[in-house]
Amino acid sequence: MKRTTLKLVAAFLFAVLTSCGGLDPVQSLPTVGTYSISNITFTSAVSGGIVLSDGADIITAQGICWSTSPNPTINDNVVAATTDTFVSDIIGLGQHGGTYYVRAFATNSSGTAYGNEVSFDTWNLDNTLWDFSLNYDPSNTNYPGQVDFYADGTARWEEPAYPGQFTSVGFWSVNENIVTYNLTGNSTATSYVFTGTVTNNNTMSGTFTWNTSSPKTFIATKVP
């Protein structure tokens, strides 16, 4: 009878000890959340994420992955992070606009888990028309022109009104929210270079140079 009682007591103590953490917790995949997209430009954006649970294991990798196709994985483009809460810059995107898909991820010994997917469209300069206003000097301000930015990377400057009809071709490129426009096409225009910062995808301001002159300012507005 005493032996039976001792066995019951031992079983009870074992159950208490294990319920209080005497055994290792069960490991599982991490739990991750993806931040919404912000600061979208022509070739960049900002996202990030948070590791909500490590799955009772050490996190060995974390960050975001992105692709032009849904459900990106770590086999696509990756921006690594070193903390459980992170903000990530997505850079080097295509110059002609597009839709991109982003997920946060975290990896432990059980594998890689992904957060919710978010998507965004970058700005696109292709086939847009902008009204330019150039300020050469105090006596020649608001010099007008229009620029067509074409999808093949070329552009056309036109002066449809005062001071006269003038047309020249050129080419353009974008980097984040910066537009560089080289106006070429004839001997007097080959040295015109415009560098503008775009705000809200519809206004632009910056400087332009030609020949050996010092930089002058311009503003531009996208035509609806």
Side-chain angles (χ1 to χ4, degrees), residues 38-105:
S38 63
N39 297 341
I40 298 172
T41 71
F42 292 107
T43 65
S44 66
V46 174
S47 183
I50 180 171
V51 179
L52 300 170
S53 170
D54 61 10
D57 195 8
I58 296 174
I59 299 295
T60 57
Q62 59 209 7
I64 62 169
C65 52
W66 60 268
S67 175
T68 55
S69 300
N71 300 315
T73 72
I74 56 175
N75 295 319
D76 296 306
N77 304 279
V78 169
V79 182
T82 57
T83 60
D84 289 345
T85 301
F86 48 91
V87 175
S88 306
D89 293 322
I90 306 170
I91 61 175
L93 305 180
Q95 295 210 3
H96 298 280
T99 300
Y100 295 87
Y101 302 86
V102 181
R103 293 196 296 180
F105 73 91

Side-chain angles (χ1 to χ4, degrees), residues 4 6 10-11 16 18 47 58 78 80 87 89 94 111 117 121 159 161 163 176 188-189:
T4 302
L6 289 174
V16 171
T18 55
S47 183
I58 296 174
V78 169
V87 175
D89 293 322
E117 181 179 86
D121 294 320
E159 296 170 7
E176 298 186 1
T188 62

Side-chain angles (χ1 to χ4, degrees), residues 78-223:
V78 169
V79 182
T82 57
T83 60
D84 289 345
T85 301
F86 48 91
V87 175
S88 306
D89 293 322
I90 306 170
I91 61 175
L93 305 180
Q95 295 210 3
H96 298 280
T99 300
Y100 295 87
Y101 302 86
V102 181
R103 293 196 296 180
F105 73 91
T107 302
N108 65 14
S109 63
S110 297
T112 298
Y114 297 93
N116 54 297
E117 181 179 86
V118 295
S119 64
F120 65 97
D121 294 320
T122 53
W123 296 351
N124 193 353
L125 200 62
D126 292 3
N127 301 318
T128 59
L129 175 65
W130 295 67
D131 284 324
F132 274 63
S133 179
L134 280 54
N135 295 314
Y136 280 95
D137 53 56
S139 63
N140 191 6
T141 60
N142 301 320
Y143 189 96
Q146 284 190 328
V147 178
D148 281 294
F149 293 98
Y150 299 120
D152 63 357
T154 63
R156 183 179 65 182
W157 170 279
E158 291 186 291
E159 296 170 7
Y162 173 85
Q165 298 293 326
F166 175 77
T167 301
S168 184
V169 298
F171 58 93
W172 61 267
S173 64
V174 292
N175 183 23
E176 298 186 1
N177 65 333
I178 304 297
V179 174
T180 301
Y181 164 47
N182 292 266
L183 193 156
T184 62
N186 61 54
S187 59
T188 62
T190 53
S191 59
Y192 275 78
V193 178
F194 295 79
T195 303
T197 300
V198 176
T199 304
N200 296 327
N201 198 23
N202 57 21
T203 60
M204 188 188 317
S205 61
T207 60
F208 69 98
T209 59
W210 82 100
N211 295 327
T212 59
S213 68
S214 59
K216 308 298 181 181
T217 62
F218 78 92
I219 57 174
T221 303
K222 183 191 291 185
V223 177

